[in-house]
Amino acid sequence: MIENNPPQTATVTRVQTNILAVTERRLLTFLCGLLPSWVTPDRLTGLGMVGSFAIFGGYVASNVSPAWLWLTLVGLVVQWFGDSLDGSLARYRHIERPSYGYFVDHSCDGLTTLLILGGMGLSPYVRLDVALIALAGYLLLSVHAFLYARVGGQLKLTFLAAGPTELRFVLIGLTIAMMLLGDNPGLFGKISGFDLFVGTIGSILILLFVVHTMGTARDLAKVDRLP
């Protein structure tokens, strides 16, 4: 069973202030009340990973036909359902296992990010090197969040008012645009509009990592003064 809280060995507060946080929390609580007893947090985690592999498969198979992008869209919904509800259901039923959940949940998040951006980079719409820039940016920002949870006592899940759910909506919009616009070179030659969009997002994530890392280091230096 999955719970997104950090291990019990540390006192950490989850900070989630993204635009859709309140609305999503109400929806997840409502859905938790509808789920039968045989649906467990572990099974939801597994379902989320099925969605992740579907996203990957849809992007890669779009080399054969853009119709496969429908599989990616379905995968994004399934991945949200499983990934968002596993921890919510554990809290709803009061069956949390914080250390186990924290470890497994964020391990799955890392693999999911690799599958999404790796699949996108293997599709005909986004260059692999551009997708890897976005992957590096997301993973760097994740590293910052995990480190800050250790030194600052807070697990930050929101940056620039956006969190994982908002990013899923961005991915849905991007995938629909791929279906509508196709993989033609466009106005930028070998660099498509999709490359520019994904590369810009990746660059912003890397910049956020640098800015937040410098700010946190400056704050910690004030606390941990030299004798």
Side-chain angles (χ1 to χ4, degrees), residues 188-211:
F188 306 101
K190 293 183 179 181
I191 303 296
S192 70
F194 298 124
D195 291 326
L196 289 177
F197 181 82
V198 174
T200 299
I201 295 295
S203 300
I204 291 174
L205 295 178
I206 293 173
L207 180 61
L208 283 172
F209 168 77
V210 173
V211 170

Side-chain angles (χ1 to χ4, degrees), residues 89-100:
L89 185 62
R91 288 188 291 272
Y92 184 84
R93 294 179 179 173
H94 305 291
I95 53 175
E96 302 97 328
R97 286 190 283 175
S99 297
Y100 168 77

Side-chain angles (χ1 to χ4, degrees), residues 112-154:
T112 293
T113 305
L114 173 63
L115 289 170
I116 292 175
L117 290 169
M120 192 179 294
L122 294 173
S123 77
Y125 302 94
V126 179
R127 290 168 45 140
L128 181 58
D129 54 351
V130 174
L132 290 178
I133 291 173
L135 175 62
Y138 190 92
L139 293 180
L140 280 173
L141 208 55
S142 297
V143 168
H144 171 79
F146 301 144
L147 289 174
Y148 192 83
R150 171 64 179 83
V151 301
Q154 293 181 331

